[in-house]
C-alpha cells in the first residue's frame, strides 16, 4: 500500500479511483469527516497529531481498494429511455403542429419557428438533465427569490396583447417546481418557516392569478398545497405533523374558498362550460364547435363535417394552439389522439412513480412537482378538448412551441434527479427541537 | 483471538444493519459500537464500511441524512428502512439456521472423536 502522510493526499488517491467526477467531492467529504474523528480519537489517547493522522489513514485501508469499491457503487444512472421518449414525443408534437396546420390561411404554425423551438427545447432538456440539483439546493432560498423576481419583472418587459403579459403566463407554470426550493430553504425553521412557506406559495400563486391564467393558478394552489403537506410529512419544519396539517387544511379551505368566491360568477361559468348550447354564439361558442367535431369524428381518418370555406381555423379559433388536440381528432381520428394521450400519461406516471421512490427528499419533491404540473396541464387540456371550456390549457410536449420548450426543461430537471440519485445529499440542518433543548439546559444550569 | 476475515466479511451487512436497528448512527459511531458490542473482536475498517453502507443505500435497505451532531460537526447518519428491517430479519434467520447447523456438525464431530 502506498504511504500517505496527510489526510488530503490520501483522499486525493481515493478520488482518482472514482471515474464519476461529480461523485468525488461528495464521497471524499464523508471519508474526511471520518478520518478527522479517528485522528482526534488517537490524539486523545496521547498520540502526536502527525502520528494520529498517519494511524487514522492506516485504519481506513488501502486507498486504491477503497476508491475502486466506491467507484463500483457510484455511477451516474443514464436516463436514455426517458430522454428518448421525451424527445420522441416532442418531435411528434412538432410534426403534428406543423403538418396539421400547413396551408391554413391564418393560425398556421411555421416550420422554422417549430424547428428552432425543438432545438432550444432539446438544449433545455439536456442542460437541465446534466444539472446538479444539489448545487441549487445549497442556494435554494436565493434561487427561489431570483425566479420570483424574474417572474414579477416579466410583467414589465413582456409584450402584453390584450393587456395580458405574454411570457408571465408561461413562467407561471414553473411555480410549483420553484416552490420546492422555497420549502427546502425553510427547513427546520419551525412555525416561522411554515408561515414563510405559505407566504412564498401565495407569492407564486399571485403571479398566474394576476396574469390572469386560471389553470396555472388552480395548479399552483393545489400542487403547492400537496408539496407543503409533503414537506410537513417529511418533518422539514420540525413541528408536530398534526398541528401543521390542521393549520394547512384550514388555510387551504380558506384560500380555496376565497379564490372561488373571487372568480365569481364561477357557477355561471361552469354552467356554460357544461351546457355551451345555452350561449352558442359567445361564451359557449368554442364548446359547441368542439362538440360538433367530436360527434362527427371517426376512429381513423378525417371527420365528415362541413367546416365551411374558411377551414378549421375559421370553424374553431385556436385550432392550432390549445385546441390542437381537437384538430388531431378531426383530421386523424380518435385512435391517434388516444395513443398520444396514452404515451404522455405513461411518461408522466413513470416520472411520478420513480420520483416517489427517490430517497433524496429535495429530488423526490422536485419530481413530484414536475409530474403534477404536467399532469394537471394534460388533464385540463383533455377537459378543454372534450368541449368543456373552462380555461386555456396546453397538452404537454404537443401544444405550443414555447410551452414545449418549458415542458422539456422541466422533464430534464426531473431526469437529472434520477441520474444523480446515487450521490444526492441533503444539506445538514440543526434541528430546532435540539436547539431549544440546549437552550433549556443552559438556562437550567 | 484474530478471526478469519472471510468468516465475517459475508455477514458484515447483517452486523451493520443490526447496529442500525435501534438507532441512527454515522460511520464512525458504527465502527466504535461494533467494536464495543463484540468485545473488541470485530474491527471493521472504514474503507470497507462506507462502500458497504452506500451499497445498502442503493438497494433501499438504509437511507441517510445530514445532521449537525452534538459536537457541532455535520455528520451523515444512516437509518434502517422498513425494507431494510425485512432484509435484516431474513438475514438473521438465515444466519441462525447456518450457526445452528455448524454447531450441530461440530457437536457431532466431538461425539465421534470421543467414541
Amino acid at each position: 500500500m502506498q504511504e500517505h502522510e496527510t489526510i488530503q493526499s490520501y483522499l486525493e488517491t481515493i478520488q482518482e479511483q472514482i471515474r464519476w467526477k461529480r461523485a468525488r467531492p461528495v464521497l471524499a467529504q464523508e471519508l474526511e469527516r471520518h478520518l478527522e474523528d479517528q485522528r482526534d480519537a488517537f490524539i486523545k489517547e496521547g498520540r502526536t497529531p502527525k502520528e494520529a493522522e498517519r494511524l487514522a489513514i492506516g485504519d481506513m485501508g488501502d486507498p486504491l481498494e477503497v476508491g475502486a469499491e466506491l467507484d463500483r457503487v457510484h455511477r451516474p444512472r443514464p436516463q436514455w429511455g426517458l430522454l428518448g421518449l421525451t424527445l420522441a414525443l416532442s418531435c411528434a408534437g412538432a410534426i403534428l403542429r406543423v403538418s396539421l396546420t400547413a396551408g391554413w390561411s391564418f393560425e398556421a404554425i411555421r416550420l422554422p419557428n417549430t424547428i428552432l423551438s425543438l432545438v432550444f427545447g432539446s438544449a433545455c432538456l439536456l442542460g437541465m438533465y446534466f444539472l446538479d440539483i444539489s448545487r441549487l439546493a445549497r442556494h435554494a432560498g436565493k434561487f427561489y427569490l431570483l425566479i420570483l423576481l424574474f417572474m414579477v419583472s416579466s410583467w414589465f418587459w413582456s409584450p402584453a396583447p390584450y393587456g395580458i403579459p405574454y411570457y408571465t403566463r408561461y413562467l407561471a407554470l414553473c411555480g410549483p417546481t420553484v416552490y420546492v426550493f422555497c420549502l427546502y430553504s425553510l427547513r427546520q425553521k419551525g412555525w416561522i418557516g411554515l408561515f414563510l412557506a405559505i407566504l412564498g406559495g401565495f407569492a407564486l400563486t399571485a403571479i398566474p392569478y394576476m396574469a390572469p391564467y386560471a389553470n396555472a393558478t388552480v395548479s399552483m394552489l393545489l400542487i403547492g398545497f400537496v408539496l407543503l403537506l409533503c414537506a410537513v410529512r417529511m418533518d422539514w419544519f420540525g413541528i408536530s405533523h398534526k398541528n401543521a396539517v390542521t393549520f394547512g387544511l384550514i388555510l387551504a379551505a380558506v384560500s380555496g374558498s376565497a379564490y372561488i368566491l373571487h372568480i365569481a360568477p364561477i357557477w355561471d361559468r361552469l354552467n356554460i362550460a357544461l351546457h355551451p348550447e345555452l350561449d352558442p354564439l359567445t361564451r359557449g361558442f368554442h364548446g359547441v364547435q368542439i362538440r360538433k367535431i367530436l360527434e362527427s369524428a371517426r376512429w381513423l381518418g378525417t371527420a365528415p363535417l362541413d367546416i365551411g370555406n374558411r377551414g378549421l381555423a375559421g370553424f374553431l379559433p385556436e385550432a392550432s394552439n390549445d385546441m390542437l388536440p381537437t384538430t388531431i381528432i378531426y383530421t386523424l381520428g380518435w385512435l391517434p389522439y388516444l395513443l398520444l394521450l396514452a404515451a404522455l400519461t405513461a411518461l408522466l406516471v413513470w416520472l411520478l412513480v420513480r420520483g416517489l421512490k427517490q430517497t433524496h427528499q429535495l429530488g423526490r419533491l422536485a419530481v413530484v412537482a414536475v409530474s403534477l404540473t404536467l399532469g394537471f396541464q394534460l388533464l385540463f387540456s383533455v377537459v378543454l378538448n372534450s368541449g368543456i371550456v373552462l380555461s386555456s390549457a396546453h397538452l404537454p410536449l404537443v401544444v405550443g412551441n414555447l410551452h414545449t420548450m418549458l415542458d422539456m426543461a422541466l422533464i430534464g430537471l426531473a431526469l437529472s434527479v434520477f441520474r444523480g440519485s446515487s450521490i444526492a445529499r441533503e444539506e445538514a440542518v440543526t434541528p430546532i427541537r435540539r436547539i431549544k433543548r440546549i437552550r433549556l439546559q443552559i438556562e437550567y444550569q | 483471538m484474530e478471526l478469519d476475515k472471510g468468516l465475517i466479511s459475508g455477514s458484515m451487512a447483517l452486523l451493520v444493519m443490526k447496529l442500525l436497528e435501534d438507532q441512527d448512527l454515522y460511520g464512525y459511531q458504527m465502527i466504535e459500537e461494533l467494536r464495543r458490542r463484540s468485545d473488541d473482536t470485530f474491527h471493521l475498517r472504514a474503507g470497507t464500511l462506507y462502500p458497504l453502507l452506500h451499497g445498502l443505500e442503493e438497494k433501499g435497505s438504509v437511507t441517510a441524512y445530514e445532521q449537525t451532531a452534538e459536537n457541532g460537526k455535520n455528520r451523515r447518519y444512516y437509518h434502517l428502512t422498513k425494507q431494510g428491517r425485512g432484509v435484516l430479519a431474513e438475514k438473521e434467520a438465515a444466519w441462525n439456521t447456518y450457526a445452528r447447523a455448524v454447531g450441530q456438525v461440530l457437536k457431532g464431530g466431538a461425539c465421534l472423536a470421543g467414541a
Side-chain angles (χ1 to χ4, degrees), chain A residues 30 34 58 74 77 426, chain B residues 45 50 54 58 66 75 78:
Chain A
E30 189 176 23
H34 184 101
H74 296 284
R77 294 174 182 164
E426 309 287 354
Chain B
R45 278 180 181 271
Y50 286 103
H54 295 182
E58 288 284 301
E66 293 267 331
R75 292 291 176 260
Y78 289 86

Side-chain angles (χ1 to χ4, degrees), chain A residues 103-145:
Chain A
W104 288 11
S105 51
F106 53 99
E107 277 201 21
I109 304 291
R110 292 170 56 201
L111 181 65
N113 291 2
T114 307
I115 291 174
L116 208 62
S117 79
L118 208 55
V119 171
F120 276 118
S122 303
C124 289
L125 176 72
L126 290 174
M128 296 302 269
Y129 173 67
F130 287 109
L131 181 88
D132 182 1
I133 197 170
S134 56
R135 278 193 191 171
L136 281 182
R138 263 173 248 145
H139 310 284
K142 285 178 196 161
F143 176 70
Y144 162 77
L145 287 173

Side-chain angles (χ1 to χ4, degrees), chain A residues 243-258:
Chain A
N243 291 346
V245 169
T246 311
F247 183 71
L249 284 173
I250 293 169
L251 187 93
V254 171
S255 55
S257 313

